[in-house]
Amino acid sequence: MAPQEPTATAAAHAADSSSAKTRTIRVEARLQVGEELDLGATGRSIGDQFIFSGNLVSTGGPEERSVGRFGGFCVITDLERNAGQCSSTAMLPEGQITVQGEQAGIPAPRTVVSAITGGTGDFSKARGQMTQRVLTPATWQLAFEVFDVQPHRAGGGRTPSEMPMPPSFPGK
């Protein structure tokens, strides 16, 4: 089965009359680092970790293009299912999206849905979920369903009234 073409869409949040948006961001994660750390007892054991990072790539359109980076880790918590608690961050031009959840089959899990736990920039009030599908051990398809995306604003996502002011010193 061919992977779905990555797309990013925005639609008004139905339950809210504010300017917050809902977006689905589809990208491929291309691992550059994927290291398993054998901690504690020799061999696979509770507490071992899988550390990963790489590039996020949009494959929609006429050519692939880099759209960001990602990184994270998983800590083994269940040997029988080869499962663990995983945490990762996607760094995109509009800000960061953080994700957390349990995955079985580490380091190459089956399709898994994890919670979006927050973000920065346009994603500072983000919530939702991310679906991860393994295409190959080094290529994952990610779909972020992000609710409460803030509209892009100049100045790093802050309005002029939210911009930090330089300190003032008495007598200057």
Side-chain angles (χ1 to χ4, degrees), residues 5-170:
E5 291 204 349
T7 59
T9 59
H13 192 280
D16 188 340
S17 62
S18 73
S19 58
K21 305 286 183 192
T22 298
R23 277 180 68 186
T24 299
I25 302 167
R26 297 180 192 282
V27 294
E28 281 188 11
R30 308 260 173 93
L31 264 63
Q32 292 182 313
V33 172
E35 294 289 329
E36 292 188 57
L37 300 178
D38 187 359
L39 304 173
T42 302
R44 189 67 117 178
S45 62
I46 300 295
D48 285 355
Q49 296 182 18
F50 175 63
I51 313 298
F52 54 91
S53 67
N55 294 316
L56 296 174
V57 177
S58 172
T59 58
E63 60 185 53
E64 291 184 357
R65 62 185 170 87
S66 178
V67 294
R69 295 201 36 80
F70 72 101
F73 63 93
C74 298
V75 177
I76 300 297
T77 58
D78 184 333
L79 290 175
E80 186 175 313
R81 295 182 317 116
N82 195 28
Q85 291 296 313
C86 299
S87 179
S88 63
T89 303
M91 287 75 65
L92 300 165
E94 305 92 345
Q96 298 181 19
I97 301 172
T98 57
V99 177
Q100 185 173 356
E102 184 189 67
Q103 293 185 5
I106 296 168
R110 298 176 265 315
T111 298
V112 64
V113 177
S114 297
I116 292 175
T117 56
T120 65
D122 289 2
F123 309 113
S124 65
K125 296 181 181 179
R127 57 189 177 84
Q129 62 186 28
M130 179 201 71
T131 302
Q132 174 184 337
R133 189 172 143 244
V134 175
L135 302 176
T136 71
T139 305
W140 306 337
Q141 184 179 61
L142 307 178
F144 297 89
E145 296 174 63
V146 189
F147 304 105
D148 293 335
V149 176
Q150 301 304 304
H152 184 71
R153 296 180 282 196
R158 297 179 180 161
T159 64
S161 64
E162 296 171 319
M163 296 296 278
M165 298 297 294
S168 62
F169 298 100

